[in-house]
PDB file of all heavy atoms in Angstrom:
ATOM      1  N   PRO A 116     -40.461  23.820 -12.568  1.00 95.00           N
ATOM      2  CA  PRO A 116     -40.915  22.435 -12.747  1.00 95.00           C
ATOM      3  C   PRO A 116     -39.819  21.534 -13.312  1.00 95.00           C
ATOM      4  O   PRO A 116     -39.738  20.359 -12.952  1.00 95.00           O
ATOM      5  CB  PRO A 116     -42.085  22.551 -13.736  1.00 95.00           C
ATOM      6  CG  PRO A 116     -42.223  23.967 -14.113  1.00 95.00           C
ATOM      7  CD  PRO A 116     -41.326  24.787 -13.263  1.00 95.00           C
ATOM      8  N   GLU A 118     -36.784  21.556 -12.644  1.00 94.00           N
ATOM      9  CA  GLU A 118     -35.883  21.121 -11.579  1.00 94.00           C
ATOM     10  C   GLU A 118     -36.666  20.575 -10.400  1.00 94.00           C
ATOM     11  O   GLU A 118     -36.128  20.428  -9.294  1.00 94.00           O
ATOM     12  CB  GLU A 118     -35.005  22.292 -11.106  1.00 94.00           C
ATOM     13  CG  GLU A 118     -33.710  22.447 -11.862  1.00 94.00           C
ATOM     14  CD  GLU A 118     -33.743  23.669 -12.764  1.00 94.00           C
ATOM     15  OE1 GLU A 118     -34.187  24.740 -12.305  1.00 94.00           O
ATOM     16  OE2 GLU A 118     -33.353  23.549 -13.937  1.00 94.00           O
ATOM     17  N   PRO A 122     -44.659  25.167  -6.132  1.00 95.00           N
ATOM     18  CA  PRO A 122     -45.055  26.168  -5.135  1.00 95.00           C
ATOM     19  C   PRO A 122     -45.032  25.607  -3.711  1.00 95.00           C
ATOM     20  O   PRO A 122     -44.698  26.329  -2.772  1.00 95.00           O
ATOM     21  CB  PRO A 122     -46.485  26.532  -5.529  1.00 95.00           C
ATOM     22  CG  PRO A 122     -46.639  26.089  -6.929  1.00 95.00           C
ATOM     23  CD  PRO A 122     -45.673  24.995  -7.175  1.00 95.00           C
ATOM     24  N   GLU A 151     -37.884  31.427 -14.811  1.00 96.00           N
ATOM     25  CA  GLU A 151     -38.411  30.916 -13.545  1.00 96.00           C
ATOM     26  C   GLU A 151     -38.836  32.059 -12.613  1.00 96.00           C
ATOM     27  O   GLU A 151     -39.867  31.962 -11.950  1.00 96.00           O
ATOM     28  CB  GLU A 151     -37.371  30.032 -12.844  1.00 96.00           C
ATOM     29  CG  GLU A 151     -37.251  28.635 -13.423  1.00 96.00           C
ATOM     30  CD  GLU A 151     -36.587  28.606 -14.787  1.00 96.00           C
ATOM     31  OE1 GLU A 151     -35.783  29.514 -15.077  1.00 96.00           O
ATOM     32  OE2 GLU A 151     -36.873  27.685 -15.569  1.00 96.00           O
ATOM     33  N   GLU A 153     -39.829  35.023 -13.528  1.00 94.00           N
ATOM     34  CA  GLU A 153     -41.040  35.641 -14.067  1.00 94.00           C
ATOM     35  C   GLU A 153     -42.257  34.749 -13.843  1.00 94.00           C
ATOM     36  O   GLU A 153     -43.349  35.236 -13.539  1.00 94.00           O
ATOM     37  CB  GLU A 153     -40.853  35.939 -15.560  1.00 94.00           C
ATOM     38  CG  GLU A 153     -39.921  37.120 -15.794  1.00 94.00           C
ATOM     39  CD  GLU A 153     -39.624  37.355 -17.269  1.00 94.00           C
ATOM     40  OE1 GLU A 153     -40.294  36.753 -18.125  1.00 94.00           O
ATOM     41  OE2 GLU A 153     -38.713  38.144 -17.559  1.00 94.00           O
ATOM     42  N   ASN A 157     -45.647  35.696 -11.854  1.00 96.00           N
ATOM     43  CA  ASN A 157     -46.985  35.518 -12.435  1.00 96.00           C
ATOM     44  C   ASN A 157     -47.889  34.714 -11.510  1.00 96.00           C
ATOM     45  O   ASN A 157     -49.057  35.018 -11.322  1.00 96.00           O
ATOM     46  CB  ASN A 157     -46.898  34.797 -13.790  1.00 96.00           C
ATOM     47  CG  ASN A 157     -46.391  35.711 -14.888  1.00 96.00           C
ATOM     48  OD1 ASN A 157     -46.392  36.924 -14.739  1.00 96.00           O
ATOM     49  ND2 ASN A 157     -45.958  35.121 -15.989  1.00 96.00           N
ATOM     50  N   ASN A 186     -23.417  50.660 -23.643  1.00 72.00           N
ATOM     51  CA  ASN A 186     -22.998  49.485 -22.891  1.00 72.00           C
ATOM     52  C   ASN A 186     -24.150  48.548 -22.537  1.00 72.00           C
ATOM     53  O   ASN A 186     -23.929  47.463 -22.026  1.00 72.00           O
ATOM     54  CB  ASN A 186     -22.296  49.906 -21.592  1.00 72.00           C
ATOM     55  CG  ASN A 186     -20.991  50.615 -21.887  1.00 72.00           C
ATOM     56  OD1 ASN A 186     -20.290  50.242 -22.834  1.00 72.00           O
ATOM     57  ND2 ASN A 186     -20.684  51.645 -21.127  1.00 72.00           N
ATOM     58  N   GLU A 189     -29.226  44.690 -25.845  1.00 72.00           N
ATOM     59  CA  GLU A 189     -30.464  45.067 -26.534  1.00 72.00           C
ATOM     60  C   GLU A 189     -31.707  44.722 -25.725  1.00 72.00           C
ATOM     61  O   GLU A 189     -32.688  45.447 -25.730  1.00 72.00           O
ATOM     62  CB  GLU A 189     -30.547  44.385 -27.895  1.00 72.00           C
ATOM     63  CG  GLU A 189     -29.639  44.980 -28.952  1.00 72.00           C
ATOM     64  CD  GLU A 189     -28.208  44.485 -28.842  1.00 72.00           C
ATOM     65  OE1 GLU A 189     -27.929  43.666 -27.934  1.00 72.00           O
ATOM     66  OE2 GLU A 189     -27.374  44.909 -29.652  1.00 72.00           O
ATOM     67  N   TYR A 193     -34.514  47.208 -24.625  1.00 78.00           N
ATOM     68  CA  TYR A 193     -35.879  46.933 -25.072  1.00 78.00           C
ATOM     69  C   TYR A 193     -36.839  47.064 -23.898  1.00 78.00           C
ATOM     70  O   TYR A 193     -37.860  47.734 -23.958  1.00 78.00           O
ATOM     71  CB  TYR A 193     -35.891  45.516 -25.644  1.00 78.00           C
ATOM     72  CG  TYR A 193     -37.212  45.043 -26.214  1.00 78.00           C
ATOM     73  CD1 TYR A 193     -37.551  45.315 -27.530  1.00 78.00           C
ATOM     74  CD2 TYR A 193     -38.077  44.287 -25.444  1.00 78.00           C
ATOM     75  CE1 TYR A 193     -38.738  44.859 -28.062  1.00 78.00           C
ATOM     76  CE2 TYR A 193     -39.266  43.823 -25.956  1.00 78.00           C
ATOM     77  CZ  TYR A 193     -39.601  44.113 -27.271  1.00 78.00           C
ATOM     78  OH  TYR A 193     -40.768  43.653 -27.784  1.00 78.00           O
TER      79      TYR A 193
ATOM     80  N   PRO B 147     -31.818  41.816 -32.448  1.00 85.00           N
ATOM     81  CA  PRO B 147     -31.105  41.388 -31.238  1.00 85.00           C
ATOM     82  C   PRO B 147     -32.033  40.837 -30.151  1.00 85.00           C
ATOM     83  O   PRO B 147     -31.624  40.006 -29.360  1.00 85.00           O
ATOM     84  CB  PRO B 147     -30.419  42.667 -30.766  1.00 85.00           C
ATOM     85  CG  PRO B 147     -30.375  43.557 -31.951  1.00 85.00           C
ATOM     86  CD  PRO B 147     -31.545  43.218 -32.794  1.00 85.00           C
ATOM     87  N   ARG B 158     -37.929  27.665 -23.065  1.00 96.00           N
ATOM     88  CA  ARG B 158     -37.852  27.179 -21.686  1.00 96.00           C
ATOM     89  C   ARG B 158     -39.233  27.200 -21.026  1.00 96.00           C
ATOM     90  O   ARG B 158     -39.611  26.261 -20.338  1.00 96.00           O
ATOM     91  CB  ARG B 158     -36.843  28.018 -20.885  1.00 96.00           C
ATOM     92  CG  ARG B 158     -36.630  27.480 -19.495  1.00 96.00           C
ATOM     93  CD  ARG B 158     -35.272  27.790 -18.923  1.00 96.00           C
ATOM     94  NE  ARG B 158     -35.193  27.263 -17.564  1.00 96.00           N
ATOM     95  CZ  ARG B 158     -34.685  26.089 -17.254  1.00 96.00           C
ATOM     96  NH1 ARG B 158     -34.180  25.322 -18.189  1.00 96.00           N
ATOM     97  NH2 ARG B 158     -34.670  25.666 -16.009  1.00 96.00           N
ATOM     98  N   GLU B 177     -50.436  27.003 -11.718  1.00 95.00           N
ATOM     99  CA  GLU B 177     -49.015  26.959 -12.066  1.00 95.00           C
ATOM    100  C   GLU B 177     -48.821  27.057 -13.576  1.00 95.00           C
ATOM    101  O   GLU B 177     -47.934  27.745 -14.076  1.00 95.00           O
ATOM    102  CB  GLU B 177     -48.436  25.632 -11.587  1.00 95.00           C
ATOM    103  CG  GLU B 177     -47.398  25.757 -10.505  1.00 95.00           C
ATOM    104  CD  GLU B 177     -46.996  24.378 -10.036  1.00 95.00           C
ATOM    105  OE1 GLU B 177     -47.772  23.737  -9.301  1.00 95.00           O
ATOM    106  OE2 GLU B 177     -45.905  23.940 -10.419  1.00 95.00           O
ATOM    107  N   ALA B 180     -49.131  30.515 -14.983  1.00 95.00           N
ATOM    108  CA  ALA B 180     -47.978  31.384 -14.759  1.00 95.00           C
ATOM    109  C   ALA B 180     -47.087  31.342 -16.007  1.00 95.00           C
ATOM    110  O   ALA B 180     -46.455  32.330 -16.372  1.00 95.00           O
ATOM    111  CB  ALA B 180     -47.202  30.936 -13.528  1.00 95.00           C
ATOM    112  N   TYR B 181     -47.046  30.174 -16.656  1.00 96.00           N
ATOM    113  CA  TYR B 181     -46.263  30.033 -17.891  1.00 96.00           C
ATOM    114  C   TYR B 181     -47.041  30.487 -19.123  1.00 96.00           C
ATOM    115  O   TYR B 181     -46.443  30.898 -20.108  1.00 96.00           O
ATOM    116  CB  TYR B 181     -45.784  28.593 -18.043  1.00 96.00           C
ATOM    117  CG  TYR B 181     -44.672  28.289 -17.079  1.00 96.00           C
ATOM    118  CD1 TYR B 181     -44.910  27.678 -15.862  1.00 96.00           C
ATOM    119  CD2 TYR B 181     -43.371  28.679 -17.379  1.00 96.00           C
ATOM    120  CE1 TYR B 181     -43.886  27.452 -14.960  1.00 96.00           C
ATOM    121  CE2 TYR B 181     -42.339  28.452 -16.488  1.00 96.00           C
ATOM    122  CZ  TYR B 181     -42.605  27.830 -15.284  1.00 96.00           C
ATOM    123  OH  TYR B 181     -41.585  27.622 -14.402  1.00 96.00           O
ATOM    124  N   ARG B 183     -48.802  33.127 -19.424  1.00 92.00           N
ATOM    125  CA  ARG B 183     -48.535  34.552 -19.644  1.00 92.00           C
ATOM    126  C   ARG B 183     -47.120  34.782 -20.169  1.00 92.00           C
ATOM    127  O   ARG B 183     -46.890  35.678 -20.972  1.00 92.00           O
ATOM    128  CB  ARG B 183     -48.769  35.337 -18.350  1.00 92.00           C
ATOM    129  CG  ARG B 183     -50.248  35.605 -18.113  1.00 92.00           C
ATOM    130  CD  ARG B 183     -50.450  36.515 -16.914  1.00 92.00           C
ATOM    131  NE  ARG B 183     -50.142  35.830 -15.678  1.00 92.00           N
ATOM    132  CZ  ARG B 183     -51.013  35.039 -15.024  1.00 92.00           C
ATOM    133  NH1 ARG B 183     -52.214  34.849 -15.507  1.00 92.00           N
ATOM    134  NH2 ARG B 183     -50.669  34.449 -13.902  1.00 92.00           N
ATOM    135  N   LEU B 184     -46.180  33.948 -19.727  1.00 94.00           N
ATOM    136  CA  LEU B 184     -44.810  34.069 -20.238  1.00 94.00           C
ATOM    137  C   LEU B 184     -44.744  33.722 -21.716  1.00 94.00           C
ATOM    138  O   LEU B 184     -44.051  34.373 -22.500  1.00 94.00           O
ATOM    139  CB  LEU B 184     -43.882  33.126 -19.480  1.00 94.00           C
ATOM    140  CG  LEU B 184     -43.284  33.635 -18.184  1.00 94.00           C
ATOM    141  CD1 LEU B 184     -42.356  32.582 -17.619  1.00 94.00           C
ATOM    142  CD2 LEU B 184     -42.507  34.908 -18.446  1.00 94.00           C
ATOM    143  N   ARG B 194     -44.131  38.880 -33.939  1.00 93.00           N
ATOM    144  CA  ARG B 194     -43.970  40.173 -34.605  1.00 93.00           C
ATOM    145  C   ARG B 194     -42.796  40.151 -35.575  1.00 93.00           C
ATOM    146  O   ARG B 194     -42.893  40.587 -36.721  1.00 93.00           O
ATOM    147  CB  ARG B 194     -43.772  41.250 -33.526  1.00 93.00           C
ATOM    148  CG  ARG B 194     -43.579  42.650 -34.021  1.00 93.00           C
ATOM    149  CD  ARG B 194     -44.008  43.673 -32.961  1.00 93.00           C
ATOM    150  NE  ARG B 194     -43.615  43.285 -31.604  1.00 93.00           N
ATOM    151  CZ  ARG B 194     -42.435  43.603 -31.052  1.00 93.00           C
ATOM    152  NH1 ARG B 194     -41.534  44.254 -31.751  1.00 93.00           N
ATOM    153  NH2 ARG B 194     -42.168  43.249 -29.807  1.00 93.00           N
TER     154      ARG B 194
END
Side-chain angles (χ1 to χ4, degrees):
Chain A
E118 271 108 45
E151 282 72 27
E153 287 175 11
N157 285 343
N186 294 323
E189 285 81 0
Y193 182 87
Chain B
R158 185 152 178 95
E177 245 175 285
Y181 286 96
R183 280 186 289 276
L184 274 182
R194 180 155 40 89

